[in-house]
Amino acid sequence: MDTEDTEETEETEETEETQETEEFLLPRSRTANERLHAMIPGGAHTYAKGDDQYPENLAPVISHGRGAHVWDIDGNRYIEYGSGLRSVSLGHAHPRVIEAVRRELDRGGNFVRPSIVEVEAAERFLATVPTAEMVKFAKNGSDVTTAAVRLARAVTGRPRVALCADHPFFSVDDWFIGTTPMSAGIPETTNELTLTFPYGDLAATEELLTRYQDEVACLILEPATHTGPPAGYLEGLRELADRHGCVLIFDEMITGFRWSEAGAQGLYGVVPDLSTFGKALGNGFAVSALAGRRELMERGGLRHSDDRVFLLSTTHGAETHSLAAAMAVQTTYVEEGVTAQLHTLGDRLAAGVRDAAAAMGVGDHLVVRGRSSNLVFATLDENRQPSQQYRTLFLRRLLAGGVLAPSFVVSSALDDADIDRTVDVVAQACAVYRKALDAADPAPWLGGRPVKPVFRRLA
């Protein structure tokens, strides 16, 4: 609906809004979603991509993407944010990455011995992340975070893992999933070995390490999230880990290549014992990395006299085309200053969204948070509490306006016109948001059930 039609009555506006949303139907996507659920548990291979994360009957099934845009199988084009759950930071089908991948596909993808590409990829990674001394590649983040935990347990001889309770995800494996509402199938004895600590609270972490003296193998956390670490916090964790003899692990899945090319450790200057990278590393191709101190990493190798650690041994961990993609990503980041581009685009988007929300009187309810390269939004109700209903309303209006945005995480493929268009659509969505707040009831604007949190006990 055109927001300039200010002379229309409220009743007419609401009628037009309803008609506009009804016209925005996704019949082919809806059919494809049913086919997905018939064959794939959850209807997607990642829970965060499930149709329960979108308004009812408005979960697009993607046909293809290029740059910052994607098209669904119903023929709709969207400006896309959060590309590939933060993995496609250069935009879809980036020419430099695709060229590198195609070159390796013509040369063979997997062999019975290491490829020279593995040498080149390791050298490139260690040059990009100079705080690490060795690296081993895998296919996804869970592989490498679990390998880091296993390695920490092996080198310390300790059973317990301490993870940051304020960070949403570390692994699909039992040591983490047992701490979530989706812990079905995980023995309680496994859960007992995982402890949690709050982000930013050194005193609480020290109390935990003291209570479980000589039992904690590692501290694992994202070094930064929506806000930067408190002054001295990462340095304090480093000191605590050293004093209590445990391994400090930074999960750099998100911060890697978004905070700096070398991740948060490169920006804040605190060196962990082990760190894990993925997501943006391959620009959508499946590649992840475990990196860290030689003394620890070599325990998964052949040149030591201690008990061997089954660190990482995956058939497809070193597929040549994925490693070629990773090298092209790193080269592009360094040569084109991609991290700075992400921050500039994010700054422009955050300012525009905040201004639009404020102008519509919902600035305290639609809240943009996070580092400019990694923006998320919160939808708050009339009591300023997080609301899945208002999130549903907001997502529904964004989709109708051609914006696919489970978050506001940017890619470098966006341009100023994309940002400006997004802000216009946000403004229109905020006008409806205001009406729902005034009515103290968003239900008439939901079009069905509200979206659901990923981690919940019942389907």
Side-chain angles (χ1 to χ4, degrees), residues 207-240:
E207 191 278 330
L208 182 76
L209 293 173
T210 301
R211 189 190 333 156
Y212 294 96
Q213 187 70 37
D214 299 329
E215 294 183 45
V216 177
C218 62
L219 301 173
I220 181 168
L221 73 157
E222 296 179 39
T225 52
H226 301 324
T227 59
Y233 175 62
L234 296 181
E235 293 85 349
L237 280 181
R238 176 71 276 174
E239 190 275 330
L240 280 178

Side-chain angles (χ1 to χ4, degrees), residues 161-368:
V161 176
L163 58 86
C164 184
D166 299 309
H167 298 163
F169 189 80
F170 288 103
S171 174
V172 300
D173 294 302
D174 289 2
W175 63 270
F176 170 70
I177 294 297
T179 69
T180 76
M182 295 177 69
S183 60
I186 300 172
E188 184 57 35
T189 51
T190 297
N191 296 339
E192 291 171 357
L193 295 177
T194 300
L195 310 171
T196 62
F197 61 91
Y199 186 77
D201 191 336
L202 289 173
T205 306
E206 182 165 24
E207 191 278 330
L208 182 76
L209 293 173
T210 301
R211 189 190 333 156
Y212 294 96
Q213 187 70 37
D214 299 329
E215 294 183 45
V216 177
C218 62
L219 301 173
I220 181 168
L221 73 157
E222 296 179 39
T225 52
H226 301 324
T227 59
Y233 175 62
L234 296 181
E235 293 85 349
L237 280 181
R238 176 71 276 174
E239 190 275 330
L240 280 178
D242 291 339
R243 178 151 49 89
H244 286 269
C246 55
V247 175
L248 181 62
I249 304 170
F250 282 176
D251 179 340
E252 300 256 28
M253 292 296 155
I254 292 174
T255 50
F257 298 93
R258 285 192 176 272
W259 268 241
S260 77
E261 289 82 1
Q265 60 193 279
L267 182 64
Y268 300 119
V270 177
V271 181
D273 299 302
L274 299 171
S275 55
T276 58
F277 289 77
K279 291 193 182 289
L281 178 60
N283 202 54
F285 286 91
V287 60
S288 61
L290 169 64
R293 290 169 42 207
R294 182 177 302 277
E295 177 186 357
L296 274 66
M297 294 287 289
E298 191 60 80
R299 286 289 299 272
L302 300 174
R303 298 183 175 182
H304 64 88
S305 58
D306 296 307
D307 290 345
R308 294 185 68 192
V309 178
F310 195 93
L311 187 59
L312 282 166
S313 181
T314 56
T315 299
H316 302 290
E319 282 179 326
T320 58
H321 67 272
S322 291
L323 295 183
M327 286 190 285
V329 167
Q330 291 166 85
T331 299
T332 302
Y333 262 78
V334 173
E335 293 184 359
E336 298 183 10
V338 171
T339 302
Q341 293 178 36
L342 296 175
H343 284 92
T344 298
L345 288 163
D347 284 341
R348 183 183 177 97
L349 176 63
V353 170
R354 287 169 181 148
D355 287 347
M360 294 296 173
V362 298
D364 292 332
H365 301 272
L366 176 66
V367 182
V368 180

Side-chain angles (χ1 to χ4, degrees), residues 93-135:
H94 187 276
R96 198 167 189 171
V97 177
I98 295 301
E99 179 184 357
V101 168
R102 283 179 175 150
R103 185 168 58 246
E104 291 306 323
L105 288 176
D106 287 339
R107 294 160 54 87
N110 214 333
F111 312 104
V112 298
R113 281 283 294 147
S115 163
I116 189 63
V117 175
E118 295 177 51
V119 178
E120 296 165 350
E123 288 175 342
R124 166 58 71 180
F125 182 90
L126 295 174
T128 305
V129 187
T131 44
E133 296 174 328
M134 298 189 82
V135 63

Side-chain angles (χ1 to χ4, degrees), residues 381-456:
D381 64 16
E382 53 274 7
N383 298 314
R384 299 182 185 177
Q385 296 300 308
S387 168
Q388 294 296 103
Q389 286 189 308
Y390 280 95
R391 180 176 175 84
T392 307
L393 177 155
F394 187 62
L395 289 176
R396 190 174 180 84
R397 303 308 304 177
L398 292 185
L399 287 164
V403 176
L404 179 59
S407 69
F408 281 144
V409 175
V410 297
S411 75
S412 65
L414 291 158
D415 59 25
D416 289 348
D418 292 323
I419 301 292
D420 292 344
R421 171 60 185 163
T422 301
V423 172
D424 287 343
V425 173
V426 166
Q428 295 171 36
C430 287
V432 181
Y433 204 130
R434 182 67 260 171
K435 292 177 182 178
L437 287 170
D438 291 341
D441 180 14
W445 290 275
L446 300 189
R449 54 103 183 109
V451 299
K452 300 178 181 181
V454 170
F455 287 113
R456 58 186 192 274

